[in-house]
Amino acid sequence: MSEEIRETGEASGLSLAVLLVKAKEYFREILRYWWLILLVGAIFGGLLGYQASVKSTEYPAELTFMVNESGGGGAAEVSVILGQFGLGGGGDSNLDKVVALAESRFIAEKMLFTEANCSGEVDYIANHLMKAHGLYEQFEVEPTENGRMFTHDSLPAFTDNQRRVFLRLHRYLKVNGEQGVPLLAVSYVKASGIFTFQATSRDEDLSIAMVESLYKNLEDYYVSQATEQQQLNVNQLDVKVDSLQRALNSKEYQLAALQDRSAGLFQQTGRVQQDRLGREIQILTIAYGESVRRLETTRFLLNNATPVFTPVDFPLSPLSPMGSSKIFSAIVGALIGGVLVIILLFVRKLFGDALKDS
């Protein structure tokens, strides 16, 4: 048994010695080509450094907000109460609907044709975007007049060329920029209900203007659509209340005039007319009071059913630029190039030894 242990130990020591010898051989082989490692590392470092230097600096602006829909169960309560009056309660909205609207062409149009002050120049966001990102050259188009692509915000009045550019602009909003992020991104966290709008452009003022305009236009349209049916109900009841009030006033004046003419002395026919007017006034008074009650209740429900957009964080200048460091990119490139050469030398030596042994 002791003899077997001794032989095993000698074999292990021999294997370790062989391994160390091989390691020294591979290390010397790599050192022989140190100039190649440095050369390839320099080439890779220069390429990545140059790539980082030619990329445009982009500025991300982020805006977060919440949407309060009638305190959770309020929308259902509104529908039940309005249903008692025979009125529609409007449709419920959800987080996906907000995102879908924010990404729609309709809201994009309103955002792109909002005027903003970027670098001291007031113009449509669409024109600022065309200029800041060099899209005249990319889209191969010429500005219409005064160096602008769009001179008004009426889409039906656009020329065919302007409509094509607008459609390309809408698609361009979803394309990744040079820093690998889309020009405009919309997201939300379902657990918290917090939405995030992020715009990333080459102009700091433009990024801020884009997210603020997107938020404002979405808020206006969403609230308008969410309360459209309730507002219609209020308007209908308001007209009905005014009509009943005018009819009631008219009957009251008729009764008062009849009483003035008779000086309190009525013939039988006069009493019949007075009683009829009194009944009509009573009926109109009841109808008027009920309509006023319904109107005030519907107004209250409308106010409670109106979605409330609550900003959490607005973007503030100066924004932190998003861009790759030229020095860092060059170092990373040099390391990548050097490691690749070392791996290739190792594989070359490995195959060479294997061919010799065979």
Side-chain angles (χ1 to χ4, degrees):
M1 178 66 70
S2 59
E3 183 67 22
E4 292 179 358
I5 294 175
R6 186 178 63 79
E7 290 178 356
T8 302
E10 290 177 354
S12 299
L14 183 60
S15 299
L16 181 60
V18 171
L19 183 62
L20 289 174
V21 170
K22 286 291 183 182
K24 289 180 180 180
E25 290 180 6
Y26 279 87
F27 182 71
R28 292 194 189 98
E29 182 72 12
I30 291 172
L31 285 181
R32 282 178 56 200
Y33 293 95
W34 62 267
W35 56 271
L36 183 60
I37 296 173
L38 292 179
L39 177 62
V40 175
I43 292 174
F44 272 73
L47 288 175
L48 266 67
Y50 174 76
Q51 188 179 24
S53 67
V54 298
K55 282 186 177 180
S56 300
T57 301
E58 296 178 338
Y59 299 88
E62 191 171 277
L63 185 151
T64 57
F65 65 96
M66 297 183 298
V67 180
N68 182 9
E69 299 265 7
S70 303
E77 297 170 4
V78 169
S79 299
V80 171
I81 298 175
L82 287 179
Q84 295 175 357
F85 297 149
L87 302 173
D92 294 337
S93 300
N94 50 48
L95 303 179
D96 293 328
K97 183 178 179 181
V98 175
V99 172
L101 283 172
E103 294 178 339
S104 68
R105 193 179 70 191
F106 178 79
I107 298 298
E109 175 189 344
K110 292 183 174 295
M111 182 270 291
L112 288 171
F113 296 105
T114 297
E115 288 191 336
N117 188 335
C118 298
S119 302
E121 182 181 358
V122 178
D123 202 349
Y124 292 129
I125 288 177
N127 288 330
H128 286 304
L129 186 59
M130 294 285 293
K131 182 178 179 181
H133 286 248
L135 297 182
Y136 289 108
E137 296 80 7
Q138 184 173 332
F139 292 171
E140 297 180 352
V141 293
E142 294 292 335
T144 53
E145 56 183 73
N146 299 326
R148 300 176 178 180
M149 186 69 226
F150 303 100
T151 56
H152 57 83
D153 59 356
S154 177
L155 191 60
F158 281 178
T159 64
D160 290 342
N161 189 43
Q162 287 175 323
R163 275 192 288 271
R164 281 193 291 269
V165 171
F166 164 68
L167 292 174
R168 293 190 67 177
L169 271 178
H170 179 241
R171 292 192 293 269
Y172 185 75
L173 295 176
K174 303 176 183 179
V175 176
N176 287 347
E178 293 189 358
Q179 302 302 328
V181 295
L183 191 69
L184 192 62
V186 178
S187 61
Y188 73 92
V189 179
K190 203 164 189 176
S192 62
I194 295 181
F195 295 85
T196 300
F197 290 168
Q198 179 174 299
T200 305
S201 75
R202 300 175 187 175
D203 186 288
E204 183 177 1
D205 294 334
L206 179 58
S207 296
I208 295 175
M210 286 176 65
V211 289
E212 290 183 346
S213 174
L214 181 66
Y215 171 78
K216 178 61 178 172
N217 283 292
L218 176 65
E219 178 187 18
D220 292 345
Y221 180 74
Y222 189 86
V223 171
S224 172
Q225 292 300 308
T227 60
E228 183 178 15
Q229 182 60 52
Q230 289 90 332
Q231 186 63 56
L232 179 61
N233 295 333
V234 169
N235 294 340
Q236 291 174 344
L237 285 172
D238 204 13
V239 171
K240 185 177 182 180
V241 166
D242 289 341
S243 176
L244 287 171
Q245 187 176 34
R246 287 193 298 269
L248 180 59
N249 291 339
S250 175
K251 294 300 180 182
E252 287 175 341
Y253 277 117
Q254 290 179 31
L255 179 58
L258 179 62
Q259 291 173 341
D260 288 343
R261 287 197 304 270
S262 64
L265 300 174
F266 287 99
Q267 300 295 328
Q268 291 300 321
T269 55
R271 289 185 180 278
V272 171
Q273 188 176 3
Q274 182 185 26
D275 291 343
R276 187 176 67 250
L277 285 172
R279 286 194 299 272
E280 291 178 356
I281 290 173
Q282 185 178 10
I283 293 171
L284 286 171
T285 300
I286 294 173
Y288 175 73
E290 181 65 17
S291 296
V292 169
R293 184 181 71 83
R294 290 187 177 188
L295 176 60
E296 293 305 318
T297 302
T298 307
R299 279 178 175 163
F300 173 76
L301 296 175
L302 171 61
N303 292 334
N304 283 340
T306 302
V308 178
F309 279 60
T310 305
V312 178
D313 288 315
F314 270 105
L316 294 175
S317 60
L319 301 176
S320 298
M322 180 187 297
S324 302
S325 168
K326 291 181 288 186
I327 296 177
F328 178 77
S329 298
I331 293 173
V332 170
L335 290 175
I336 292 174
V339 169
L340 284 176
V341 173
I342 291 174
I343 292 174
L344 290 175
L345 290 173
F346 182 86
V347 172
R348 176 176 173 271
K349 175 66 175 174
L350 186 64
F351 275 97
D353 291 347
L355 291 174
K356 288 180 181 178
D357 293 340
S358 61

